[in-house]
Amino acid sequence: MHYPDFPFKRIHLKETNSTSSYLRTLCNTQATEEFTVISTDFQTAGRGQRGNSWESEEKKNLLFSLLLTPSFLPANEQFILSQVVSLSIKEELDTYGSGFSIKWPNDIYWNDKKICGILIENDLQGSYLSQSIAGIGININQEAFHSSAPNPVSLKQITGKEHDLNSILENILCRLDSYYKKIQSGYMESISQTYYNALFRKEVFAGFSDKNGKFTARIIRVEPSGLLVVADKDGMERSYAFKEISYIL
Ligand code: BTN
């Protein structure tokens, strides 16, 4: 289905294996406009981070992928895309209640539960980005979760109400469009500060684990490269790339 009134080019599919895989194939086979969105009612092979699958009941949730072509962005600044995608979603969810935060690097949490997962797949050309596919799953109206995913929650479980998927999607894309323009205008520092302020468990001592075991530390900053820097009770700093550290929930 096509949406003539929708301010972004959108293709909605009743079913697909994965909106991100569909979008990638589309880009490989034809010229595809930046900000094209593929959304679906149901994914048969939804992909998550760390090789996990992403499960979602048919027609209940937002499942979409968005194409960006940030050829102006140096590869070592690609984390800014994770920041603006996460912020656009978190700020839209903030309009429905409190308790939303970004769990580094780019999960959206409500208190200690996960409401949204983001999988960003970047392609490079030389030392710049060429294409970025942001795949986003947000639990909106699902009432019960059966998969092994840890701590899922939906917006309906939080608010007690059913929500309109299309208007939430449109609002998120408008927010993202405006953040994307800020990146193009070079406002990286202010975006990173806003991202830091939105982080889950920042500046409080909390349990983490890394390859050496469990420890207590607090988040003190996120480097522009995306590295997470934590400090233990003695002030000793350690920095981690994605997948090198886990939160103990
Ligand atoms: C995560 O594991 O937290 C990331 C989940 C990302 C899921 C979304 S749903 C839409 C898009 N298509 C996919 O196959 N995955 C992403």
Side-chain angles (χ1 to χ4, degrees):
M1 199 188 291
H2 286 266
Y3 292 81
D5 298 330
F6 192 72
F8 304 91
K9 183 168 180 223
R10 177 176 175 195
I11 300 170
H12 185 80
L13 307 165
K14 280 187 72 60
E15 181 178 308
T16 183
N17 57 350
S18 151
T19 53
S20 291
S21 306
Y22 185 98
L23 182 54
R24 177 170 293 276
T25 307
L26 189 73
C27 294
N28 289 342
T29 49
Q30 64 184 68
T32 309
E33 246 177 82
E34 185 161 47
F35 265 89
T36 293
V37 177
I38 308 297
S39 56
T40 193
D41 292 339
F42 187 67
Q43 293 185 133
T44 53
R47 296 189 282 112
Q49 291 160 10
R50 304 169 192 244
N52 291 329
S53 60
W54 183 260
E55 293 188 34
S56 170
E57 212 178 303
E58 186 176 1
K59 289 192 174 167
K60 296 282 183 184
N61 301 318
L62 274 173
L63 298 167
F64 64 100
S65 298
L66 168 78
L67 176 68
L68 297 172
T69 52
S71 53
F72 57 88
L73 199 61
N76 62 7
E77 292 179 26
Q78 58 187 275
F79 188 64
I80 198 77
L81 296 177
S82 288
Q83 293 180 308
V84 295
V85 171
S86 316
L87 279 170
S88 304
I89 298 165
K90 191 253 177 204
E91 289 172 4
E92 175 59 18
L93 293 174
D94 284 341
T95 67
Y96 296 92
S98 58
F100 295 99
S101 63
I102 301 169
K103 181 166 157 285
W104 176 88
N106 54 14
D107 286 337
I108 311 297
Y109 266 54
W110 176 73
N111 297 335
D112 283 349
K113 293 174 181 252
K114 179 163 168 170
I115 186 167
C116 166
I118 301 169
L119 180 68
I120 299 188
E121 296 168 313
N122 291 328
D123 288 351
L124 305 181
Q125 195 153 46
S127 52
Y128 283 81
L129 287 169
S130 53
Q131 150 178 312
S132 176
I133 294 180
I136 295 158
I138 313 175
N139 300 328
I140 304 287
N141 292 320
Q142 188 160 333
E143 287 176 80
F145 292 89
H146 310 288
S147 77
S148 55
N151 308 325
V153 70
S154 71
L155 192 56
K156 182 168 185 183
Q157 288 176 321
I158 297 166
T159 63
K161 290 186 211 146
E162 195 88 6
H163 297 275
D164 179 54
L165 300 181
N166 287 328
S167 58
I168 297 176
L169 173 57
E170 186 166 330
N171 292 344
I172 289 169
L173 294 172
C174 289
R175 289 175 189 277
L176 189 49
D177 183 49
S178 132
Y179 266 122
Y180 195 58
K181 289 187 173 113
K182 284 191 186 160
I183 298 181
Q184 286 168 313
S185 307
Y187 294 114
M188 314 301 205
E189 274 183 30
S190 105
I191 294 169
S192 296
Q193 189 58 51
T194 310
Y195 172 86
Y196 182 74
N197 290 339
L199 276 186
F200 176 74
R201 288 193 185 163
K202 70 169 186 310
E203 290 165 6
V204 294
F205 281 100
F208 292 93
S209 66
D210 67 9
K211 64 178 187 335
N212 299 315
K214 295 182 178 174
F215 60 98
T216 300
R218 69 191 170 96
I219 294 173
I220 53 168
R221 68 178 179 275
V222 177
E223 301 281 359
S225 64
L227 285 184
L228 181 74
V229 185
V230 302
D232 65 18
K233 288 203 164 136
D234 301 322
M236 174 89 131
E237 293 188 12
R238 315 180 205 187
S239 48
Y240 294 93
F242 182 45
K243 296 182 189 167
E244 291 177 349
I245 183 170
S246 305
Y247 293 71
I248 298 172
L249 291 174

PDB file of all heavy atoms in Angstrom, residues 17-21 43 45-50 52-54 62-65 107 114 116-119 135-137, ligand 1:
ATOM      1  N   ASN A  17       9.657 -10.781   5.259  1.00  0.00           N
ATOM      2  CA  ASN A  17      10.578 -11.466   6.184  1.00  0.00           C
ATOM      3  C   ASN A  17      11.116 -10.456   7.199  1.00  0.00           C
ATOM      4  O   ASN A  17      11.032 -10.655   8.408  1.00  0.00           O
ATOM      5  CB  ASN A  17      11.685 -12.209   5.411  1.00  0.00           C
ATOM      6  CG  ASN A  17      12.493 -11.299   4.497  1.00  0.00           C
ATOM      7  OD1 ASN A  17      12.158 -10.138   4.269  1.00  0.00           O
ATOM      8  ND2 ASN A  17      13.569 -11.821   3.950  1.00  0.00           N
ATOM      9  N   SER A  18      11.598  -9.326   6.699  1.00  0.00           N
ATOM     10  CA  SER A  18      12.159  -8.279   7.568  1.00  0.00           C
ATOM     11  C   SER A  18      12.106  -6.968   6.777  1.00  0.00           C
ATOM     12  O   SER A  18      12.529  -6.946   5.610  1.00  0.00           O
ATOM     13  CB  SER A  18      13.610  -8.640   7.917  1.00  0.00           C
ATOM     14  OG  SER A  18      14.379  -7.488   8.138  1.00  0.00           O
ATOM     15  N   THR A  19      11.598  -5.916   7.385  1.00  0.00           N
ATOM     16  CA  THR A  19      11.526  -4.632   6.653  1.00  0.00           C
ATOM     17  C   THR A  19      12.924  -4.144   6.276  1.00  0.00           C
ATOM     18  O   THR A  19      13.106  -3.524   5.224  1.00  0.00           O
ATOM     19  CB  THR A  19      10.814  -3.556   7.501  1.00  0.00           C
ATOM     20  OG1 THR A  19      11.456  -3.478   8.778  1.00  0.00           O
ATOM     21  CG2 THR A  19       9.333  -3.859   7.671  1.00  0.00           C
ATOM     22  N   SER A  20      13.923  -4.457   7.123  1.00  0.00           N
ATOM     23  CA  SER A  20      15.295  -4.006   6.805  1.00  0.00           C
ATOM     24  C   SER A  20      15.846  -4.785   5.617  1.00  0.00           C
ATOM     25  O   SER A  20      16.497  -4.199   4.735  1.00  0.00           O
ATOM     26  CB  SER A  20      16.209  -4.184   8.023  1.00  0.00           C
ATOM     27  OG  SER A  20      15.843  -3.272   9.019  1.00  0.00           O
ATOM     28  N   SER A  21      15.568  -6.088   5.578  1.00  0.00           N
ATOM     29  CA  SER A  21      16.047  -6.888   4.433  1.00  0.00           C
ATOM     30  C   SER A  21      15.329  -6.437   3.168  1.00  0.00           C
ATOM     31  O   SER A  21      15.946  -6.331   2.097  1.00  0.00           O
ATOM     32  CB  SER A  21      15.795  -8.380   4.670  1.00  0.00           C
ATOM     33  OG  SER A  21      16.362  -8.760   5.891  1.00  0.00           O
ATOM     34  N   GLN A  43       6.354  -9.596  10.478  1.00  0.00           N
ATOM     35  CA  GLN A  43       7.638 -10.068   9.934  1.00  0.00           C
ATOM     36  C   GLN A  43       7.783 -11.560  10.232  1.00  0.00           C
ATOM     37  O   GLN A  43       7.553 -11.988  11.372  1.00  0.00           O
ATOM     38  CB  GLN A  43       8.808  -9.336  10.594  1.00  0.00           C
ATOM     39  CG  GLN A  43       8.856  -7.862  10.249  1.00  0.00           C
ATOM     40  CD  GLN A  43      10.084  -7.171  10.817  1.00  0.00           C
ATOM     41  OE1 GLN A  43      10.745  -6.442  10.118  1.00  0.00           O
ATOM     42  NE2 GLN A  43      10.368  -7.364  12.092  1.00  0.00           N
ATOM     43  N   ALA A  45      10.723 -13.103   9.716  1.00  0.00           N
ATOM     44  CA  ALA A  45      12.112 -13.318  10.166  1.00  0.00           C
ATOM     45  C   ALA A  45      12.701 -11.978  10.611  1.00  0.00           C
ATOM     46  O   ALA A  45      13.734 -11.539  10.089  1.00  0.00           O
ATOM     47  CB  ALA A  45      12.927 -13.949   9.050  1.00  0.00           C
ATOM     48  N   GLY A  46      12.003 -11.324  11.551  1.00  0.00           N
ATOM     49  CA  GLY A  46      12.463 -10.035  12.068  1.00  0.00           C
ATOM     50  C   GLY A  46      13.825 -10.206  12.736  1.00  0.00           C
ATOM     51  O   GLY A  46      14.031 -11.150  13.493  1.00  0.00           O
ATOM     52  N   ARG A  47      14.724  -9.300  12.413  1.00  0.00           N
ATOM     53  CA  ARG A  47      16.087  -9.425  12.927  1.00  0.00           C
ATOM     54  C   ARG A  47      16.349  -8.450  14.061  1.00  0.00           C
ATOM     55  O   ARG A  47      15.938  -7.287  13.995  1.00  0.00           O
ATOM     56  CB  ARG A  47      17.092  -9.166  11.794  1.00  0.00           C
ATOM     57  CG  ARG A  47      17.014 -10.201  10.698  1.00  0.00           C
ATOM     58  CD  ARG A  47      18.131 -10.072   9.688  1.00  0.00           C
ATOM     59  NE  ARG A  47      17.919  -8.987   8.740  1.00  0.00           N
ATOM     60  CZ  ARG A  47      18.643  -7.883   8.687  1.00  0.00           C
ATOM     61  NH1 ARG A  47      19.627  -7.679   9.549  1.00  0.00           N
ATOM     62  NH2 ARG A  47      18.397  -6.969   7.774  1.00  0.00           N
ATOM     63  N   GLY A  48      17.024  -8.937  15.100  1.00  0.00           N
ATOM     64  CA  GLY A  48      17.386  -8.075  16.223  1.00  0.00           C
ATOM     65  C   GLY A  48      18.897  -7.951  16.329  1.00  0.00           C
ATOM     66  O   GLY A  48      19.631  -8.449  15.475  1.00  0.00           O
ATOM     67  N   GLN A  49      19.344  -7.289  17.386  1.00  0.00           N
ATOM     68  CA  GLN A  49      20.780  -7.154  17.614  1.00  0.00           C
ATOM     69  C   GLN A  49      21.359  -8.498  18.039  1.00  0.00           C
ATOM     70  O   GLN A  49      20.634  -9.362  18.517  1.00  0.00           O
ATOM     71  CB  GLN A  49      21.030  -6.153  18.743  1.00  0.00           C
ATOM     72  CG  GLN A  49      20.691  -4.728  18.361  1.00  0.00           C
ATOM     73  CD  GLN A  49      20.478  -3.864  19.588  1.00  0.00           C
ATOM     74  OE1 GLN A  49      20.752  -4.265  20.711  1.00  0.00           O
ATOM     75  NE2 GLN A  49      19.960  -2.678  19.369  1.00  0.00           N
ATOM     76  N   ARG A  50      22.652  -8.619  17.934  1.00  0.00           N
ATOM     77  CA  ARG A  50      23.404  -9.805  18.371  1.00  0.00           C
ATOM     78  C   ARG A  50      22.869 -11.094  17.749  1.00  0.00           C
ATOM     79  O   ARG A  50      22.859 -12.149  18.393  1.00  0.00           O
ATOM     80  CB  ARG A  50      23.350  -9.956  19.905  1.00  0.00           C
ATOM     81  CG  ARG A  50      23.850  -8.749  20.660  1.00  0.00           C
ATOM     82  CD  ARG A  50      23.508  -8.873  22.140  1.00  0.00           C
ATOM     83  NE  ARG A  50      23.716  -7.634  22.837  1.00  0.00           N
ATOM     84  CZ  ARG A  50      24.604  -7.442  23.807  1.00  0.00           C
ATOM     85  NH1 ARG A  50      25.368  -8.409  24.210  1.00  0.00           N
ATOM     86  NH2 ARG A  50      24.717  -6.265  24.387  1.00  0.00           N
ATOM     87  N   ASN A  52      19.892 -11.971  17.299  1.00  0.00           N
ATOM     88  CA  ASN A  52      18.599 -12.406  17.848  1.00  0.00           C
ATOM     89  C   ASN A  52      17.481 -12.161  16.847  1.00  0.00           C
ATOM     90  O   ASN A  52      17.641 -11.388  15.907  1.00  0.00           O
ATOM     91  CB  ASN A  52      18.271 -11.620  19.127  1.00  0.00           C
ATOM     92  CG  ASN A  52      19.194 -11.989  20.252  1.00  0.00           C
ATOM     93  OD1 ASN A  52      19.650 -13.134  20.323  1.00  0.00           O
ATOM     94  ND2 ASN A  52      19.500 -11.038  21.116  1.00  0.00           N
ATOM     95  N   SER A  53      16.323 -12.784  17.090  1.00  0.00           N
ATOM     96  CA  SER A  53      15.163 -12.472  16.249  1.00  0.00           C
ATOM     97  C   SER A  53      14.314 -11.422  16.963  1.00  0.00           C
ATOM     98  O   SER A  53      14.502 -11.163  18.156  1.00  0.00           O
ATOM     99  CB  SER A  53      14.356 -13.738  15.976  1.00  0.00           C
ATOM    100  OG  SER A  53      13.927 -14.270  17.191  1.00  0.00           O
ATOM    101  N   TRP A  54      13.420 -10.789  16.189  1.00  0.00           N
ATOM    102  CA  TRP A  54      12.538  -9.773  16.784  1.00  0.00           C
ATOM    103  C   TRP A  54      11.110 -10.238  16.568  1.00  0.00           C
ATOM    104  O   TRP A  54      10.662 -10.387  15.439  1.00  0.00           O
ATOM    105  CB  TRP A  54      12.757  -8.412  16.138  1.00  0.00           C
ATOM    106  CG  TRP A  54      11.919  -7.332  16.766  1.00  0.00           C
ATOM    107  CD1 TRP A  54      10.745  -6.823  16.288  1.00  0.00           C
ATOM    108  CD2 TRP A  54      12.184  -6.647  17.994  1.00  0.00           C
ATOM    109  NE1 TRP A  54      10.270  -5.863  17.142  1.00  0.00           N
ATOM    110  CE2 TRP A  54      11.133  -5.726  18.195  1.00  0.00           C
ATOM    111  CE3 TRP A  54      13.205  -6.719  18.946  1.00  0.00           C
ATOM    112  CZ2 TRP A  54      11.078  -4.878  19.312  1.00  0.00           C
ATOM    113  CZ3 TRP A  54      13.143  -5.878  20.053  1.00  0.00           C
ATOM    114  CH2 TRP A  54      12.101  -4.967  20.220  1.00  0.00           C
ATOM    115  N   LEU A  62       4.614  -1.265  15.841  1.00  0.00           N
ATOM    116  CA  LEU A  62       5.304  -0.602  14.735  1.00  0.00           C
ATOM    117  C   LEU A  62       6.543  -1.404  14.363  1.00  0.00           C
ATOM    118  O   LEU A  62       7.405  -1.686  15.221  1.00  0.00           O
ATOM    119  CB  LEU A  62       5.714   0.813  15.150  1.00  0.00           C
ATOM    120  CG  LEU A  62       4.651   1.893  14.955  1.00  0.00           C
ATOM    121  CD1 LEU A  62       5.119   3.210  15.556  1.00  0.00           C
ATOM    122  CD2 LEU A  62       4.303   2.077  13.476  1.00  0.00           C
ATOM    123  N   LEU A  63       6.635  -1.745  13.090  1.00  0.00           N
ATOM    124  CA  LEU A  63       7.780  -2.470  12.537  1.00  0.00           C
ATOM    125  C   LEU A  63       8.135  -1.731  11.264  1.00  0.00           C
ATOM    126  O   LEU A  63       7.356  -1.736  10.306  1.00  0.00           O
ATOM    127  CB  LEU A  63       7.369  -3.899  12.167  1.00  0.00           C
ATOM    128  CG  LEU A  63       6.879  -4.801  13.294  1.00  0.00           C
ATOM    129  CD1 LEU A  63       6.221  -6.059  12.738  1.00  0.00           C
ATOM    130  CD2 LEU A  63       8.044  -5.185  14.200  1.00  0.00           C
ATOM    131  N   PHE A  64       9.257  -1.036  11.267  1.00  0.00           N
ATOM    132  CA  PHE A  64       9.587  -0.281  10.058  1.00  0.00           C
ATOM    133  C   PHE A  64      11.096  -0.088   9.918  1.00  0.00           C
ATOM    134  O   PHE A  64      11.851  -0.200  10.891  1.00  0.00           O
ATOM    135  CB  PHE A  64       8.865   1.078  10.023  1.00  0.00           C
ATOM    136  CG  PHE A  64       9.245   2.046  11.119  1.00  0.00           C
ATOM    137  CD1 PHE A  64      10.151   3.075  10.877  1.00  0.00           C
ATOM    138  CD2 PHE A  64       8.698   1.948  12.390  1.00  0.00           C
ATOM    139  CE1 PHE A  64      10.502   3.985  11.875  1.00  0.00           C
ATOM    140  CE2 PHE A  64       9.034   2.850  13.400  1.00  0.00           C
ATOM    141  CZ  PHE A  64       9.930   3.860  13.136  1.00  0.00           C
ATOM    142  N   SER A  65      11.475   0.202   8.679  1.00  0.00           N
ATOM    143  CA  SER A  65      12.883   0.511   8.385  1.00  0.00           C
ATOM    144  C   SER A  65      12.923   1.755   7.526  1.00  0.00           C
ATOM    145  O   SER A  65      12.065   1.962   6.660  1.00  0.00           O
ATOM    146  CB  SER A  65      13.550  -0.659   7.655  1.00  0.00           C
ATOM    147  OG  SER A  65      13.538  -1.795   8.496  1.00  0.00           O
ATOM    148  N   ASP A 107      18.624   1.080  22.745  1.00  0.00           N
ATOM    149  CA  ASP A 107      17.327   0.479  23.092  1.00  0.00           C
ATOM    150  C   ASP A 107      16.521   1.561  23.788  1.00  0.00           C
ATOM    151  O   ASP A 107      17.091   2.419  24.468  1.00  0.00           O
ATOM    152  CB  ASP A 107      17.493  -0.651  24.114  1.00  0.00           C
ATOM    153  CG  ASP A 107      18.076  -1.913  23.511  1.00  0.00           C
ATOM    154  OD1 ASP A 107      17.954  -2.099  22.284  1.00  0.00           O
ATOM    155  OD2 ASP A 107      18.646  -2.703  24.283  1.00  0.00           O
ATOM    156  N   LYS A 114      11.952  -3.128  28.201  1.00  0.00           N
ATOM    157  CA  LYS A 114      12.271  -2.689  26.838  1.00  0.00           C
ATOM    158  C   LYS A 114      10.999  -2.509  26.016  1.00  0.00           C
ATOM    159  O   LYS A 114      10.220  -3.442  25.858  1.00  0.00           O
ATOM    160  CB  LYS A 114      13.187  -3.732  26.189  1.00  0.00           C
ATOM    161  CG  LYS A 114      13.584  -3.412  24.756  1.00  0.00           C
ATOM    162  CD  LYS A 114      14.799  -4.246  24.357  1.00  0.00           C
ATOM    163  CE  LYS A 114      15.070  -4.203  22.873  1.00  0.00           C
ATOM    164  NZ  LYS A 114      16.353  -4.792  22.498  1.00  0.00           N
ATOM    165  N   CYS A 116      11.334  -0.735  22.864  1.00  0.00           N
ATOM    166  CA  CYS A 116      11.737  -0.544  21.460  1.00  0.00           C
ATOM    167  C   CYS A 116      13.159  -1.038  21.224  1.00  0.00           C
ATOM    168  O   CYS A 116      14.044  -0.808  22.052  1.00  0.00           O
ATOM    169  CB  CYS A 116      11.646   0.954  21.144  1.00  0.00           C
ATOM    170  SG  CYS A 116      12.460   1.451  19.632  1.00  0.00           S
ATOM    171  N   GLY A 117      13.330  -1.700  20.090  1.00  0.00           N
ATOM    172  CA  GLY A 117      14.663  -2.140  19.677  1.00  0.00           C
ATOM    173  C   GLY A 117      15.010  -1.507  18.335  1.00  0.00           C
ATOM    174  O   GLY A 117      14.134  -1.306  17.489  1.00  0.00           O
ATOM    175  N   ILE A 118      16.268  -1.184  18.175  1.00  0.00           N
ATOM    176  CA  ILE A 118      16.730  -0.495  16.962  1.00  0.00           C
ATOM    177  C   ILE A 118      17.942  -1.249  16.417  1.00  0.00           C
ATOM    178  O   ILE A 118      18.860  -1.592  17.178  1.00  0.00           O
ATOM    179  CB  ILE A 118      17.136   0.962  17.308  1.00  0.00           C
ATOM    180  CG1 ILE A 118      15.946   1.721  17.899  1.00  0.00           C
ATOM    181  CG2 ILE A 118      17.680   1.684  16.071  1.00  0.00           C
ATOM    182  CD1 ILE A 118      16.310   3.069  18.500  1.00  0.00           C
ATOM    183  N   LEU A 119      17.919  -1.491  15.129  1.00  0.00           N
ATOM    184  CA  LEU A 119      19.058  -2.150  14.481  1.00  0.00           C
ATOM    185  C   LEU A 119      19.483  -1.277  13.315  1.00  0.00           C
ATOM    186  O   LEU A 119      18.751  -1.142  12.338  1.00  0.00           O
ATOM    187  CB  LEU A 119      18.594  -3.525  13.980  1.00  0.00           C
ATOM    188  CG  LEU A 119      19.621  -4.389  13.273  1.00  0.00           C
ATOM    189  CD1 LEU A 119      20.700  -4.845  14.262  1.00  0.00           C
ATOM    190  CD2 LEU A 119      18.949  -5.618  12.659  1.00  0.00           C
ATOM    191  N   GLY A 135      16.397   0.024  11.271  1.00  0.00           N
ATOM    192  CA  GLY A 135      15.258  -0.879  11.485  1.00  0.00           C
ATOM    193  C   GLY A 135      14.749  -0.707  12.907  1.00  0.00           C
ATOM    194  O   GLY A 135      15.526  -0.791  13.863  1.00  0.00           O
ATOM    195  N   ILE A 136      13.453  -0.475  13.025  1.00  0.00           N
ATOM    196  CA  ILE A 136      12.899  -0.094  14.329  1.00  0.00           C
ATOM    197  C   ILE A 136      11.656  -0.928  14.647  1.00  0.00           C
ATOM    198  O   ILE A 136      10.752  -1.058  13.815  1.00  0.00           O
ATOM    199  CB  ILE A 136      12.546   1.413  14.300  1.00  0.00           C
ATOM    200  CG1 ILE A 136      13.834   2.226  14.128  1.00  0.00           C
ATOM    201  CG2 ILE A 136      11.806   1.827  15.583  1.00  0.00           C
ATOM    202  CD1 ILE A 136      13.631   3.608  13.572  1.00  0.00           C
ATOM    203  N   GLY A 137      11.643  -1.495  15.830  1.00  0.00           N
ATOM    204  CA  GLY A 137      10.460  -2.211  16.313  1.00  0.00           C
ATOM    205  C   GLY A 137      10.017  -1.565  17.608  1.00  0.00           C
ATOM    206  O   GLY A 137      10.800  -1.487  18.556  1.00  0.00           O
TER     207      GLY A 137
HETATM  208  C1  BTN B   1      16.986  -5.298  18.909  1.00  0.00           C
HETATM  209  O1  BTN B   1      17.381  -6.458  18.956  1.00  0.00           O
HETATM  210  O2  BTN B   1      16.807  -4.652  19.929  1.00  0.00           O
HETATM  211  C2  BTN B   1      16.737  -4.630  17.567  1.00  0.00           C
HETATM  212  C3  BTN B   1      15.416  -5.025  17.017  1.00  0.00           C
HETATM  213  C4  BTN B   1      15.081  -4.355  15.699  1.00  0.00           C
HETATM  214  C5  BTN B   1      13.774  -4.867  15.158  1.00  0.00           C
HETATM  215  C6  BTN B   1      13.312  -4.100  13.950  1.00  0.00           C
HETATM  216  S1  BTN B   1      11.658  -4.511  13.515  1.00  0.00           S
HETATM  217  C7  BTN B   1      11.805  -3.663  12.007  1.00  0.00           C
HETATM  218  C8  BTN B   1      13.206  -3.933  11.482  1.00  0.00           C
HETATM  219  N1  BTN B   1      13.238  -5.140  10.699  1.00  0.00           N
HETATM  220  C9  BTN B   1      13.960  -6.100  11.273  1.00  0.00           C
HETATM  221  O3  BTN B   1      14.127  -7.245  10.821  1.00  0.00           O
HETATM  222  N2  BTN B   1      14.477  -5.658  12.423  1.00  0.00           N
HETATM  223  C10 BTN B   1      14.120  -4.286  12.677  1.00  0.00           C
END
